Amino acid sequence: MISVDLNSYRGLIFDLDGTLLDSMPHHVRAWIQTAREHGFEINPDLIYAWGGISSKDVVKRFIDMGYPAGDVDMFVKRKVELYREHINEVKLFAPIEKILKEAHERGQLTAIASGTQRINGEDTLRLHHLEKYVDALVCADDVTHHKPHPESFLTAAEKLGLNSKECLVFEDGKLGIEAAAAGGFDCVEVQRGEMVKFYQSK
């Protein structure tokens, strides 16, 4: 557990899956089942390693690897259907939820910047009664370039009316950490709800 002066930032930006939300096992299960329905097996470690990129980009990577994924949009649609069948079961990481709520209550601005579809992001906030604690939501549908490109975080900061130096990013994935660095954001790496490493932007 590391110590970071959260009060020195005007805004906090949180990744969703794997950072605020303990959802990665559910996503992995949906990817595996969809792949099996298309006649191939995938290594779950791939999905964890690709955390943060859009679902379409995941399927495109499958195709590049020679897997018979078929139509990208149809594959993604089926995967999302399977994930959403269990969306009510997905829990928050309590320590990160606490950081989010306390930040909002002391007057800091907060945002979610996620590679998930907007319907998942909106439903997650609603299901966990987080709407009033989040000032901006940026999802895969809202950007052209996905992590490790910094567009998601830059868009979130813009929606908050802040620049990258005024914000701290919370991320669990390697690609998300790279995206934060590329955008000039300080970043806290989160693993299983615990802050484990601080990266200061150059």
Side-chain angles (χ1 to χ4, degrees):
M1 185 74 171
I2 60 169
S3 178
V4 180
D5 182 11
L6 302 182
N7 290 307
S8 63
Y9 300 91
R10 294 183 61 195
L12 304 184
I13 302 175
F14 299 82
D15 172 53
L16 190 60
D17 295 304
T19 299
L20 178 61
L21 199 63
D22 188 8
S23 55
M24 287 306 293
H26 298 271
H27 281 293
V28 168
R29 180 174 61 189
W31 281 117
I32 289 173
Q33 183 173 338
T34 308
R36 285 175 177 166
E37 291 176 1
H38 283 74
F40 64 96
E41 297 286 334
I42 58 172
N43 186 334
D45 291 342
L46 281 179
I47 304 302
Y48 285 104
W50 295 342
I53 69 175
S54 71
S55 293
K56 287 186 178 182
D57 286 341
V58 170
V59 181
K60 289 174 183 176
R61 291 190 180 198
F62 289 158
I63 293 171
D64 290 342
M65 295 170 70
Y67 292 130
D71 182 80
V72 172
D73 290 334
M74 293 302 294
F75 196 106
V76 170
K77 180 181 178 182
R78 177 57 178 157
K79 181 267 170 181
V80 172
E81 288 174 351
L82 292 170
Y83 172 75
R84 289 181 59 77
E85 286 178 1
H86 301 277
I87 197 169
N88 291 343
E89 302 169 15
V90 181
K91 306 298 183 185
L92 297 174
F93 285 117
I96 308 303
E97 176 191 10
K98 185 172 184 284
I99 291 171
L100 170 69
K101 289 183 175 180
E102 289 181 348
H104 191 272
E105 288 168 354
R106 64 175 171 260
Q108 287 174 294
L109 297 172
T110 60
I112 302 293
S114 172
T116 197
Q117 289 79 18
R118 173 161 283 274
I119 187 173
N120 291 338
E122 291 177 345
D123 282 354
T124 294
L125 297 185
R126 177 180 55 80
L127 288 166
H128 294 283
H129 310 291
L130 293 178
E131 302 102 315
K132 70 177 182 179
Y133 298 102
V134 176
D135 299 298
L137 174 63
V138 177
C139 296
D141 317 62
D142 305 312
V143 298
T144 302
H145 305 289
H146 303 280
K147 303 171 186 176
H149 193 282
E151 184 179 351
S152 296
F153 293 132
L154 292 170
T155 301
E158 182 181 3
K159 285 179 176 289
L160 297 179
L162 304 176
N163 62 52
S164 58
K165 298 300 181 185
E166 297 175 293
C167 300
L168 177 65
V169 166
F170 290 79
E171 253 290 354
D172 71 299
K174 179 178 180 290
L175 298 180
I177 293 169
E178 291 177 5
F185 294 87
D186 288 355
C187 179
V188 170
E189 180 179 352
V190 175
Q191 295 297 334
R192 300 301 303 170
E194 298 294 333
M195 300 190 299
V196 298
K197 191 170 182 178
F198 175 72
Y199 301 85
Q200 188 165 22
S201 63
K202 297 180 180 179

